[in-house]
Amino acid sequence: MLALGAICQIGQIVLLRELLMVFQGNELSIGIILAAWMVWVGLGSRLGGTLAQRVRRPVVVLALDSAGVLVGLPATILAIRALRGVFDVVPGAHLSLQDMTLSCLAVMAPVCLLLGAQFVLLARIWREADGAQDTTGAEKTYIGEALGNTLGGIVFTFLLVHHLSSFHAAVLAAVLTPAALLWLTRRGTERTGSISTGTRAALVGLVAAAAVVLPFLGRLDSWAHWVRWRVFAPAYDLVETRESRYGTISVVQREDQYSFFQSGNLVFSTGGAKEPESLLEEQEGAVFAHFSLVQHPSPERILLIGGGLRGTLREMLRHGVESVDYIELDAALTEAARPYLPAATLQALEDPRVRLLHTDGRLFVKGTDRTYDMIIVDGPDPSTAVLNRYYTEEFFREARSRLNPGGVLVVGVTSTADLRERALANRNAAIYHTLRRAFPHVLPAGERFLFYFATDTPDQLSADPHTLQVRFMERGVESRAFSPWHFHTLLQDAQVRRVNWILRHHGRSPGAHLEPPPRGPMLVGPIEDLEQEEEDLPPVQERYFINSDFRPIGYYYTLIYWNMQARADHAYALRWMLHVQPWWILPLVGASLLTVGGLRLLTRRKDSRPDAHFALFCAVFTTGLSTMALQIALLFSFQSIYGFVYEMVGLIVAIFMAGLALGTALTHVFVRDKANMRTLALVQLLIAVFAGVVAVALPRFAAVESPRLVFALFSAVTFGAGLLNGVDFPLATACCLRLRGGAEKATGIVYGVELFGACTGALLASVVVAPVLGLVACCLLATVANGSACLILIVARMSYGKA
């Protein structure tokens, strides 16, 4: 059981990480990946329950099952890396929701079905070993698997992720079950079962083969990375791959250009070390640096978050600044890039005015006591929740608190002429309105790339090309990549006025997120007049036009935009999600209550209890849904604060599983009458109250300044969610056994229904609720779901008492 839990945990994390790379870090896929995992494991447990009732020697079936997992898990990793070749998408394009769903369901089915069946087979083996006829074997198996999950998560987080490839981790985890099975059956008895000499020899051979191939898995990993790049971007040659705690770094080459990708996302490109300055590749970095620096009359202390490796840092130093704190999240990326960077960029990194920090920009801004004249964020568009963290209200307020009087914050995103694309207009308007929440003065400027300059001082920002040109020339800046005449190209008066008018007006009417942005008058007044007029405009629609850590709508709009560019016919699902309203859950709750009430009135026979069956399944389903919705909310919240879950997801899940193991153990020891619907209803009420408390507390946790205290609080909530889920499982299996009979059948049904509920919760929470309605809404979804389950159980119990 410990082996099963460990392989489930390690296998799930490995496949999650591999699929996230294929899906380019898109967090919407987390729910889809987990849902696919759980739906197949749930179906496997259901099939395993039927199989466990019919086979005479479950140990033999378990041996064959574990052999299939040992072969299937590495094969699944290889299939994932070749996955994009199945779809007709342009290189670099994001896969749609439909693509991701089909991918996850297809590649994860074999392994997950086998793992789901193992749970029920082990439950039967333990029940027979104890000589019991009830579901205590399932309870012990549940505890053992949860402890194995905890152990697997800890080992992966602190050991495997740092030193081994995905193939090594998968094989080492998958070999645990055959090895444990060989030990279990070393002296076959009637209680533990036995396996034939041939089956035992086959298992020994399989374990030995795994040991033999371990030294060669590094080559398989390299070849599989090459396969992934051949289907992702055929025109590029893979130069090298490095594993990092933040994702896989790939260095690829096309002719004389080198590009650096992390988790499938382009970070920057360079012309290589042979060129003293990569003028073409670093043109955008030069424009970003010079256009930003002239927005402050005398910038001295600068904080640069990202972008330094693409030339932004080098060009900033030409303005005579006193110091630059340059933050690059991943030290592995910097080291991977050094051999390919131009000499001028390397010199900038060694400049005594530069302090290179490898840390998370959000955490640094939140915790530092330094103040700056300018904070410049030079990063990719917010296409993931990780990147979206630098475009939220919380970050903007934190940045303002670290700016000196008259200081300027600079961010930028992709745009289009006159903001003609709806999703992009929504995203860019949301960033503008969010900035206005934190800063009294915001100036957007640009066409294909939109700069946002924000400050708390009137008349600090300028859209006058002549003023900026004079500042540039007075500083004696000499750059081959940027000239004083660029300002006249970047700041065409009519275009700047029109963009400002659209951004200030869009997002103020109900349903604005579903409509194209307003076109505005033919002649737009100066920026100063637009600022005064803005005070009299209707309020902004907060749900859809204020981007925050707890409602990351900005990255949702970005995903819609990129889906529209790559596969417009597949973007409708994301666009439809924007119609979702919180009250939509109420008809489902009402229908469930009416159903159980109708079943109770229509059923007169005491031996036929459809209302009790329905109530029990509702309770199990909602428990799975609620715990997964809470998990998604906690994962997203953790990511918004710490910036990554790539490494820590194993530890987070391990904490949850430790709580689950304790909850099940406490119920097994202290609850005598487990088949009691009143007790089960009380647990549903406790889960509902717990989720409600988390909904209130979650934003307050994020406001805590100490990262360690924040982690402790999140760990406590995660542990509590697991504890309540663990209490629920043995109660539900005992009630199911009383209602339906058959220990393995009851175990398979409850385990499968709970996983199906978790699957639904993962999909709803990560794809719809979290990005559109917010993370707090995920917790409230759990509150409503389990509160309804409590009422349904009460209605059903009124006619059958304890049964």
Side-chain angles (χ1 to χ4, degrees), residues 308-429:
L309 301 178
R310 72 166 184 154
T312 306
L313 175 64
R314 182 189 70 215
E315 299 297 319
M316 287 172 54
L317 294 174
R318 300 184 193 274
H319 286 255
V321 299
E322 288 185 3
S323 65
V324 178
D325 284 348
Y326 166 41
I327 295 179
E328 189 62 61
L329 174 66
D330 199 344
L333 176 63
T334 304
E335 293 308 310
R338 282 184 183 274
Y340 310 98
L341 294 177
T345 302
L346 290 174
Q347 290 173 6
L349 291 175
E350 303 301 326
D351 192 294
R353 294 173 292 173
V354 175
R355 185 170 69 136
L356 175 59
L357 304 168
H358 289 114
T359 185
D360 179 73
R362 277 290 300 268
L363 287 179
F364 179 83
V365 171
K366 187 174 186 176
T368 187
D369 56 359
R370 287 179 166 240
T371 57
Y372 301 91
D373 297 315
M374 299 191 76
I375 296 177
I376 301 174
V377 180
D378 185 9
D381 277 9
S383 58
T384 67
V386 171
L387 298 172
N388 188 70
R389 301 162 61 242
Y390 294 100
Y391 301 87
T392 63
E393 181 179 2
E394 291 84 353
F395 173 69
F396 294 155
R397 293 189 184 279
E398 291 166 0
R400 183 181 179 182
S401 68
R402 300 294 178 257
L403 286 171
N404 294 321
V408 179
L409 171 68
V410 184
V411 297
V413 289
T414 303
S415 190
T416 56
D418 291 341
L419 299 167
R420 290 171 186 162
E421 211 290 322
R422 183 197 308 173
L424 207 62
N426 287 347
R427 196 273 308 276
N428 292 355

Side-chain angles (χ1 to χ4, degrees), residues 250-291:
S250 302
V251 184
V252 298
Q253 180 182 9
R254 183 177 183 181
E255 298 181 354
D256 295 330
Q257 183 188 69
Y258 292 89
S259 297
F260 297 81
F261 288 79
Q262 191 159 35
S263 298
N265 289 304
L266 177 64
V267 182
F268 72 97
S269 296
T270 179
K274 295 180 180 179
E275 298 291 335
E277 295 185 39
S278 302
L279 298 180
L280 179 61
E281 286 79 7
E282 300 190 356
Q283 177 74 37
E284 292 182 353
V287 172
F288 195 97
H290 297 301
F291 196 33

Side-chain angles (χ1 to χ4, degrees), residues 322-585:
E322 288 185 3
S323 65
V324 178
D325 284 348
Y326 166 41
I327 295 179
E328 189 62 61
L329 174 66
D330 199 344
L333 176 63
T334 304
E335 293 308 310
R338 282 184 183 274
Y340 310 98
L341 294 177
T345 302
L346 290 174
Q347 290 173 6
L349 291 175
E350 303 301 326
D351 192 294
R353 294 173 292 173
V354 175
R355 185 170 69 136
L356 175 59
L357 304 168
H358 289 114
T359 185
D360 179 73
R362 277 290 300 268
L363 287 179
F364 179 83
V365 171
K366 187 174 186 176
T368 187
D369 56 359
R370 287 179 166 240
T371 57
Y372 301 91
D373 297 315
M374 299 191 76
I375 296 177
I376 301 174
V377 180
D378 185 9
D381 277 9
S383 58
T384 67
V386 171
L387 298 172
N388 188 70
R389 301 162 61 242
Y390 294 100
Y391 301 87
T392 63
E393 181 179 2
E394 291 84 353
F395 173 69
F396 294 155
R397 293 189 184 279
E398 291 166 0
R400 183 181 179 182
S401 68
R402 300 294 178 257
L403 286 171
N404 294 321
V408 179
L409 171 68
V410 184
V411 297
V413 289
T414 303
S415 190
T416 56
D418 291 341
L419 299 167
R420 290 171 186 162
E421 211 290 322
R422 183 197 308 173
L424 207 62
N426 287 347
R427 196 273 308 276
N428 292 355
I431 293 174
Y432 172 78
H433 293 308
T434 306
L435 272 168
R436 283 284 284 119
R437 283 290 189 91
F439 291 89
H441 306 284
V442 179
L443 173 65
E447 186 177 49
R448 299 296 176 183
F449 187 86
L450 189 61
F451 292 84
Y452 295 87
F453 307 109
T455 184
D456 58 3
T457 304
D459 303 322
Q460 175 75 304
L461 307 175
S462 176
D464 177 27
H466 179 71
T467 300
L468 302 180
Q469 186 181 50
V470 169
R471 285 182 185 175
F472 183 83
M473 297 176 69
E474 286 177 346
R475 294 174 189 175
V477 178
E478 295 183 2
S479 173
R480 295 171 59 194
F482 192 90
S483 75
W485 304 107
H486 273 85
F487 295 110
H488 294 277
T489 303
L490 294 169
L491 293 169
Q492 298 180 28
D493 189 54
Q495 193 272 338
V496 172
R497 292 185 184 190
R498 179 163 295 279
V499 166
N500 272 264
W501 190 95
I502 293 173
L503 291 177
R504 294 167 196 266
H505 284 76
H506 188 42
R508 298 182 182 273
S509 62
H513 61 292
L514 302 174
E515 303 169 355
R519 292 295 91 199
M522 291 294 294
L523 297 176
V524 181
I527 303 296
E528 295 77 11
D529 293 347
L530 294 179
E531 285 187 343
Q532 294 180 358
E533 294 171 2
E534 188 173 4
E535 303 301 325
D536 298 323
L537 294 176
V540 175
Q541 299 294 311
E542 291 193 21
R543 182 188 297 174
Y544 300 106
F545 289 95
I546 297 297
N547 190 36
S548 72
D549 289 342
F550 288 89
R551 190 184 293 118
I553 193 68
Y555 101 88
Y556 200 77
Y557 289 141
T558 306
L559 290 177
I560 295 175
Y561 171 70
W562 287 117
N563 270 267
M564 289 293 295
Q565 302 307 303
R567 301 183 73 184
D569 58 324
H570 278 216
Y572 69 88
L574 286 171
R575 297 179 74 163
W576 181 86
M577 302 291 185
L578 293 174
H579 292 81
V580 173
Q581 298 294 326
W583 59 265
W584 284 12
I585 194 175

